[in-house]
């Protein structure tokens, strides 16, 4: 029986305990929110240039700890060391980008009769950020850093399995000189600490990243307090490959294998133009066989383990042993390993083709023509991301307009860049993170009218 007051962090590659961390209850959440409100008042009163300077110093501190943070992420989340270094660098880069924004939270002057009218973008107060385990560092950063830059305090609840890098980031914030309690990290269970944060009247906004099922509950609870919420939820994204595409680039298996497929943007529905289906299948078979799966701390490894035993069981449930599939290899022994897999015998309405698996598993499906490709791509409750591959410019423009998803890439598999807005259509989410408007999402607009008529005599 596990102790509800603590969290055991396991190394997913070895199943060894990396750390044991206390789990916050509702009382700890309440105390953290009270402290955060006090810290926020002082932070918002600082000149924007001073907030920016402190955030840049925080970025420098993260920069000098990139390797340490990356090694910690390898241990707690099983990310490959190359990916983990990128993730720590992403947190640093976003801090610098958001720091620039702190000095540019602009209002507007709007012409009206009888006076002057100005708007202000004011900080919300205390923001609650709830993060999942799949990208612990970047997602903690995307929710928290723009909120801090806009003048808010943050209470962050990391996922049960992966609290360590978030805790370390909060220590680095203090080391860099950010005020006490401005960025607090409270590890805890979703049903206890997560709910307490969502329900707390002192928390002005929730940024939630996780499954669509939990996101729905978070939104319902926020509705009771009319609390704004940003939701970054699940995905089942298409990779649409037309016959004229560069097939080798289009069928790069890391479009769905990155982070062992535990990526909300993973292109797990590979939709291939029927005339090149057989060629695509052969290319994928070779590519899967070449993927190096193993110790994530080894520089040569391209794919590590899944996060947990539970996740391994879930992924297995989509791939019966006799399912027609292309398969790579994975280590035996301790650790939560699953081989890279492409299911080839699925219909587009089967469970594996419709539900988010969150493992290194994609389905390969043929389409007849452009209209069919768009129909299949859109036939899902999700709409997070997707790729399309063609050398025909007109087709690229038509299809990118027709696909209902928040983040598309043409002749590329990229999804997330801190310079550009990120978020989902349909049941993949609500609101946007990152990009030039990231700070605005953490402000309220205040309108002030100043009469030029003078006081009434
Ligand atoms: P999850 O929904 O189980 O948990 C996410 C977080 O919510 C965790 O911190 C958890 O403790 C907390 N939580 C759980 N129940 C809660 C409750 N009742 N109230 C408040 N908080 C609660 O998701 P997960 O399994 O950790 O993450 C995987 C999911 O996240 C996938 O569906 C994936 O697609 C999604 N995701 C989306 C994005 C995006 O940007 N759209 C990014 C990464 C992951």
């Amino acid at each position: 029986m596990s102790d509800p007051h603590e969290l055991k962090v396991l190394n997913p590659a070895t199943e060894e305990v990396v750390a044991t961390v206390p789990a916050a209850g509702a009382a700890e959440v309440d105390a953290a929110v009270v402290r955060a409100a006090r810290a926020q008042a002082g932070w918002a009163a600082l000149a924007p240039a001073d907030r920016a300077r402190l955030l840049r110093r925080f970025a420098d501190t993260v920069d000098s700890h990139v390797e340490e943070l990356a090694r910690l992420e390898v241990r707690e989340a099983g990310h490959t060391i190359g990916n983990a270094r990128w993730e720590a660098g992403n947190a640093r880069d976003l801090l610098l980008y958001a720091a620039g924004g702190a000095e540019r939270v602009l209002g507007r002057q709007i012409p009206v009769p009888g006076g002057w009218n100005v708007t202000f973008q004011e900080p919300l107060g205390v923001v609650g950020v709830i993060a999942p385990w799949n990208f612990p560092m970047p997602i903690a950063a995307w929710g928290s850093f723009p909120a801090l830059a806009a003048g808010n305090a943050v209470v962050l609840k990391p996922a049960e399995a992966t609290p360590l890098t978030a805790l370390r980031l909060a220590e680095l914030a203090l080391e860099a000189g950010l005020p006490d309690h401005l960025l607090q990290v409270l590890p805890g269970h979703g049903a206890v600490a997560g709910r307490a944060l969502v329900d707390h009247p002192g928390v002005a906004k929730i940024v939630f990243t996780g499954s669509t099922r939990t996101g729905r509950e978070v939104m319902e609870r926020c509705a009771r307090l009319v609390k704004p919420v940003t939701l970054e939820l699940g995905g089942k994204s298409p990779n649409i490959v037309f016959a004229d595409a560069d097939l080798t680039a289009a069928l790069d298996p890391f479009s769905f294998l990155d982070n062992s497929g535990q990526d909300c943007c993973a292109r797990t529905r590979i939709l291939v133009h029927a005339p090149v289906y057989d060629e695509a299948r052969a290319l994928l078979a070779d590519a899967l066989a070449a993927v190096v799966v193993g110790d994530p701390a080894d520089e040569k490894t391209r794919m590590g383990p899944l996060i947990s035993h539970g996740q391994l069981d879930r992924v297995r449930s989509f791939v019966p042993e006799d399912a027609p599939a292309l398969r790579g290899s994975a280590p035996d022994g301790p650790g939560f390993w699953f081989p890279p897999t492409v299911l080839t015998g699925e219909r587009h309405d089967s469970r594996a083709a419709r539900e988010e698996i969150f493992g290194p598993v994609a389905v390969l499906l043929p389409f007849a023509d452009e209209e069919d490709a768009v129909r299949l791509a859109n036939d899902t409750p999700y709409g997070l991301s997707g790729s399309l591959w063609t050398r025909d410019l007109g087709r690229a423009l038509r299809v990118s307009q027709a696909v209902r998803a928040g983040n598309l890439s043409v002749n590329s598999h990229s999804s997330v860049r801190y310079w550009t807005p990120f978020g989902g259509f349909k049941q993949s989410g609500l609101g946007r993170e990152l990009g030039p408007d990231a700070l605005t999402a953490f402000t309220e607009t205040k309108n002030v009218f100043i009469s030029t008529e003078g006081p009434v005599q």
Side-chain angles (χ1 to χ4, degrees):
M1 195 44 201
S2 64
D3 182 342
H5 303 295
E6 64 175 32
L7 303 170
K8 262 200 181 67
V9 181
L10 295 185
N11 181 333
T14 62
E15 303 181 38
E16 284 159 5
V17 177
V18 176
T20 302
V21 172
E28 283 87 2
V29 170
D30 182 51
V33 173
V34 171
R35 289 193 298 265
R38 258 186 248 126
Q40 191 269 333
W43 180 241
L46 281 182
D50 291 334
R51 290 206 301 266
R53 197 168 298 121
L54 282 166
L55 290 170
R56 282 194 281 269
R57 215 187 283 162
F58 183 13
D60 288 345
T61 310
V62 171
D63 188 50
S64 54
H65 292 80
V66 161
E67 191 61 24
E68 180 204 325
L69 287 163
R71 299 255 164 221
L72 199 52
E73 205 64 301
V74 172
R75 286 210 305 281
E76 76 168 340
H79 290 196
T80 59
I81 181 66
N83 279 13
R85 286 188 189 118
W86 180 90
E87 289 156 22
N90 179 256
R92 169 204 58 214
D93 294 345
L94 177 60
L95 264 174
L96 287 172
Y97 183 72
E103 293 175 275
R104 296 177 184 80
V105 183
L106 306 177
R108 292 193 292 178
Q109 178 269 318
I110 301 172
V112 293
W116 286 16
N117 194 95
V118 280
T119 66
F120 297 85
Q121 297 306 131
E122 297 190 346
L124 299 171
V126 179
V127 172
V129 177
I130 300 178
W133 46 259
N134 65 326
F135 288 111
M137 240 186 309
I139 292 174
W142 304 347
S144 304
F145 298 165
L148 294 177
N152 302 281
V154 169
V155 179
L156 164 68
K157 195 206 84 63
E160 291 84 336
T162 54
L164 301 182
T165 43
L167 285 166
R168 188 67 186 122
L169 281 173
E171 286 172 3
L172 295 178
L174 287 178
E175 217 172 279
L178 261 68
D180 283 348
H181 312 310
L182 189 70
L183 172 61
Q184 297 175 79
V185 173
L186 285 192
H189 295 281
V192 181
R195 279 189 183 141
L197 199 56
V198 170
D199 292 343
H200 201 293
V203 174
K205 175 169 184 167
I206 292 288
V207 179
F208 172 83
T209 306
S211 61
T212 296
R213 201 174 62 148
T214 311
R216 214 172 274 131
E217 182 198 314
V218 167
M219 190 173 178
E220 282 166 9
R221 297 177 95 96
C222 283
R224 293 178 205 162
L225 295 168
V226 198
K227 185 179 292 195
V229 61
T230 297
L231 299 175
E232 298 287 1
L233 308 177
K236 188 76 184 176
S237 298
N239 177 18
I240 309 169
V241 184
F242 287 95
D244 66 340
D246 173 345
L247 292 185
T248 307
L251 296 161
D252 177 352
F254 282 89
S255 59
F256 70 95
L257 293 181
D258 200 48
N259 201 22
S260 310
Q262 302 166 120
D263 180 341
C264 52
C265 292
R267 274 52 163 184
T268 49
R269 288 185 301 145
I270 309 173
L271 307 178
V272 173
H273 209 172
V276 292
Y277 180 88
D278 289 341
E279 194 181 342
R281 198 176 188 283
L283 278 169
L284 275 168
D286 289 348
L288 292 197
V291 175
V292 180
V293 183
D295 176 4
D298 185 329
E299 304 277 348
K300 290 190 290 298
T301 295
R302 292 297 310 278
M303 193 182 111
L306 293 169
I307 187 74
S308 63
H309 210 283
Q311 194 59 19
L312 183 57
D313 284 346
R314 176 176 164 76
V315 174
R316 280 186 182 137
S317 77
F318 286 91
V319 189
E321 286 206 352
D322 57 352
L326 313 170
R327 295 168 208 262
S329 60
D332 295 324
F336 310 122
W337 304 100
F338 197 86
T341 304
V342 174
L343 293 165
T344 53
E346 300 294 316
R347 288 163 46 102
H348 98 275
D349 55 358
S350 71
R351 182 172 164 252
R354 291 191 71 78
E355 289 184 23
E356 185 180 48
I357 299 174
F358 232 49
V361 182
V363 296
L364 181 63
L365 296 163
F367 66 81
D369 54 23
E370 185 178 316
E371 193 184 333
D372 193 32
V374 170
R375 182 183 63 79
L376 291 176
N378 283 337
D379 188 17
T380 160
Y382 295 116
L384 189 55
S385 58
S387 304
L388 64 108
W389 293 79
T390 178
R391 293 188 170 97
D392 177 335
L393 180 60
R395 170 174 278 165
L397 295 175
R398 282 192 304 277
V399 176
S400 49
Q401 283 186 310
V403 173
R404 306 259 310 137
N407 311 273
L408 292 176
S409 49
V410 177
N411 296 330
S412 155
H413 284 304
S414 79
S415 296
V416 189
R417 297 156 186 269
Y418 64 83
W419 305 276
T420 55
F422 177 73
F425 280 29
K426 301 193 275 183
Q427 292 186 31
S428 284
L430 193 69
R432 294 291 178 270
E433 292 188 299
L434 306 176
D437 301 324
L439 272 62
T440 312
F442 295 105
T443 62
E444 280 279 24
T445 302
K446 179 179 281 176
N447 192 68
V448 177
F449 170 74
I450 307 152
S451 170
T452 48
E453 308 290 316
V456 178
Q457 298 299 316

